[in-house]
Amino acid sequence: MIVMKFGGSSIESADAVQRVTGIIAGRAQRPLLVVVSAMGKTTDRLIEIGRTAANGDIDGALGKLNSLREFHAVETASVVAPQAEAALEKHFEDHFHELAELLRGLSILGELSARSLDVLSSYGERLSSVVITEALRAQGLAAEHIDSREVIVTDDRFGEASPLVDETNARLARLVRPLIDTGRIPVMGGFIASTMNGITSTLGRGGSDFTASLVGAGLTAEEIEIWTDVDGVLTADPSLISPARRIRIMSFAEASELAYFGARVLHPSTMLPAVRNNIPIRVLNSRNPEVEGTLIVAEHAEGQSIIKSIAYQEGITVVEVRSTRMLMAHGFLAKIFEVFDRYETSVDMVTTSEVSVSLTIDDTTHLPDMVQELQEFAEVTPVSDQGIVCVVGDNIGYTPGIAARIFQALEQINIRMISQGASRLNVSLVVDEKDLRRTVEALHATFFSQVNEKVFA
């Protein structure tokens, strides 16, 4: 059985939906399950609409909602069978009516809580999964819509909930497995779930990949296919590097590092269920389905290159903490991290010296409060407009001279922080955000001017 996940760009229009249904039909000789994101930028639009309503502009919010409904009506009219048009229109009518009522409530409350935001943003996948189900039926395929909220169960940490795997697997076995075993194609919305009490939750932005991985693991799939708008995982962001090379095969560990450090193809949590169940993941391009994509497997192939890819993150803030009076004092680092923990702010990189600790964060929501608390026992300097560049490869930790090649390539660029010891898979650097492109270009030229054709296309 194959799990096929299609992102928003793969189903952003009528033409795109037609391409996707053709791809699915071409694999229909095997048992399938389909997971879809919201169409195009629907989730972003829903969040914008919600914020407009919460700011008191209900007329503006309803106007934007009508535009979103028109988008769905126009882009889906030609992809469903005539006999299904009335039912789909009723589905749109019911869901957009619910959305309008939710917006009126937000306008009265004047706020958009994490719980309300989960309900609001869930509608994108609730709409798209029905559309794709009907589009597949129009192609003569035995598609069955499954509301993911009845299958994927999470805790109640709204905005980025964690799945309850045992309960989710039990529901997959009870509600989904029988459909596959009888030759039908279940279609589910990614990203959305519910708590044990039936309250709508989400797995966080990009969570449709996570849904596909959870479902694939729970149903012991042979492979999980992640369909995007690029030919696979690349050696660098193609908007910075042209031409970036496609990676033919890589390990789970490498892909996880890339996802965590900013690679746009995969959601950072996607790897976990697949890794635990040793299920390969293949990244493919719905606009160019003939390309073999990138295969992600448990162990790396023999004879592969030292470096696989270069990822980066923008919008990073470095927090420099200095305290000579607490230098080497027991509990100093614990006091620092306790502050970040209390404000639920993740730290990506940490470096230490005899007189200071430097940390990087990408969420500065609580930065002023954290700085104030840290200043009670240390000097604190936040430095904004920074970026992280991450060089990833399974063999980095076992190959002498990698750091030397990196520094030689970047001899004209100021490096604020560098970290390798925490991982044998990457070397991470912090540079000024304005130097990101130059940094990635220099590193790519150094490590990918000549490549192993078995590993790179």
Side-chain angles (χ1 to χ4, degrees):
M1 189 270 288
I2 300 175
V3 173
M4 306 176 71
K5 177 263 174 177
F6 294 91
S9 61
S10 293
I11 56 171
E12 63 185 359
S13 65
D15 289 343
V17 170
Q18 294 285 17
R19 282 196 300 270
V20 164
T21 56
I23 292 168
I24 296 169
R27 282 164 164 71
Q29 71 276 11
R30 303 178 64 180
L32 301 176
L33 182 143
V34 176
V35 175
V36 294
S37 298
M39 295 180 67
K41 300 293 185 181
T42 293
T43 303
D44 290 335
R45 294 174 69 177
L46 285 168
I47 293 171
E48 179 191 355
I49 290 168
R51 288 173 176 161
T52 300
N55 288 333
D57 184 6
I58 185 60
D59 291 336
L62 291 175
K64 293 176 181 179
L65 184 64
N66 286 334
S67 296
L68 185 60
R69 176 173 178 169
E70 182 66 18
F71 162 75
H72 279 80
V74 169
E75 297 300 339
T76 61
S78 62
V79 301
V80 302
Q83 61 269 28
E85 291 177 0
L88 186 60
E89 175 58 30
K90 179 65 164 57
H91 183 79
F92 286 172
E93 177 70 28
D94 292 344
H95 280 65
F96 280 97
H97 175 74
E98 291 174 12
L99 276 166
E101 291 303 309
L102 175 59
L103 294 176
R104 291 187 178 95
L106 294 175
S107 179
I108 294 170
L109 291 173
E111 64 176 353
L112 184 58
S113 67
R115 178 170 168 173
S116 296
L117 187 58
D118 272 3
V119 174
L120 178 70
S121 56
S122 74
Y123 279 88
E125 278 75 9
R126 290 160 66 179
L127 293 165
S128 65
S129 54
V130 171
V131 169
I132 298 302
T133 301
E134 293 298 343
L136 290 172
R137 288 175 177 172
Q139 299 295 320
L141 299 175
E144 292 285 343
H145 177 254
I146 295 288
D147 189 337
S148 292
R149 296 173 302 163
E150 297 178 2
V151 178
I152 309 298
V153 187
T154 71
D155 60 20
D156 59 0
R157 191 182 180 196
F158 299 105
E160 197 165 357
S162 296
L164 305 180
V165 176
D166 290 343
E167 178 63 25
T168 295
N169 287 345
R171 296 191 186 193
L172 284 166
R174 185 173 72 251
L175 301 175
V176 179
R177 172 59 73 182
L179 298 177
I180 297 170
D181 289 345
T182 54
R184 286 170 284 180
I185 303 174
V187 180
M188 302 173 58
F191 168 67
I192 59 176
S194 69
T195 67
M196 287 293 292
N197 294 326
I199 301 169
T200 297
S201 59
T202 70
L203 298 172
R205 297 306 303 271
S208 291
D209 290 349
F210 198 5
T211 300
S213 190
L214 284 168
V215 171
L219 295 172
T220 59
E222 299 168 51
E223 187 170 290
I224 299 165
E225 296 181 348
I226 306 295
W227 290 84
T228 68
D229 56 2
V230 294
D231 285 343
V233 183
L234 305 179
T235 52
D237 184 343
S239 69
L240 296 186
I241 301 296
S242 181
R245 295 178 180 268
R246 175 171 57 85
I247 305 168
R248 297 183 190 274
I249 186 168
M250 65 192 309
S251 70
F252 282 128
E254 290 170 326
S256 296
E257 291 282 334
L258 285 174
Y260 184 79
F261 281 97
R264 274 74 171 163
V265 176
L266 294 169
H267 184 272
S269 300
T270 298
M271 302 293 109
L272 299 178
V275 168
R276 294 181 184 128
N277 292 271
N278 198 23
I279 300 171
I281 295 175
R282 190 178 294 273
V283 181
L284 297 152
N285 188 353
S286 63
R287 299 175 184 177
N288 195 14
E290 294 79 17
V291 174
E292 65 179 351
T294 297
L295 182 64
I296 302 170
V297 295
E299 301 294 336
H300 64 78
E302 293 183 4
Q304 68 177 209
S305 300
I306 299 167
I307 306 299
K308 281 294 179 56
S309 187
I310 302 165
Y312 70 94
Q313 287 179 297
E314 301 171 287
I316 298 297
T317 295
V318 175
V319 182
E320 298 177 346
V321 184
R322 299 176 301 280
S323 180
T324 53
R325 61 189 175 88
M326 291 193 69
L327 176 63
M328 304 299 288
H330 175 73
F332 178 47
L333 288 177
K335 288 191 69 172
I336 293 173
F337 283 106
E338 192 276 332
V339 173
F340 287 88
D341 179 62
R342 191 178 327 119
Y343 287 97
E344 297 185 346
T345 299
S346 297
V347 173
D348 292 316
M349 283 178 60
V350 181
T351 61
T352 63
S353 73
E354 292 184 353
V355 295
S356 67
V357 178
S358 295
L359 314 95
T360 67
I361 60 175
D362 59 9
D363 180 1
T364 59
T365 304
H366 302 292
L367 182 59
D369 294 326
M370 292 190 297
V371 168
Q372 185 173 351
E373 290 199 27
L374 291 168
Q375 284 175 335
E376 294 177 6
F377 59 88
E379 298 176 15
V380 184
T381 304
V383 183
S384 59
D385 300 322
Q386 302 296 293
I388 294 177
V389 177
C390 182
V391 179
V392 173
D394 266 333
N395 294 324
I396 285 179
Y398 306 97
T399 306
I402 294 296
R405 293 177 68 185
I406 289 173
F407 280 110
Q408 184 176 4
L410 304 180
E411 61 182 352
Q412 300 300 319
I413 296 173
N414 182 50
I415 300 174
R416 180 176 289 275
M417 294 171 60
I418 183 168
S419 174
Q420 179 185 0
S423 171
R424 293 184 177 273
L425 289 140
N426 81 66
V427 177
S428 299
L429 315 161
V430 175
V431 299
D432 196 291
E433 200 168 62
K434 65 180 174 58
D435 292 326
L436 271 177
R437 176 182 289 273
R438 202 154 55 102
T439 301
V440 175
E441 288 175 342
L443 291 171
H444 198 273
T446 296
F447 290 108
F448 296 106
S449 57
Q450 293 182 327
V451 297
N452 182 343
E453 297 295 336
K454 292 181 179 179
V455 180
F456 303 96

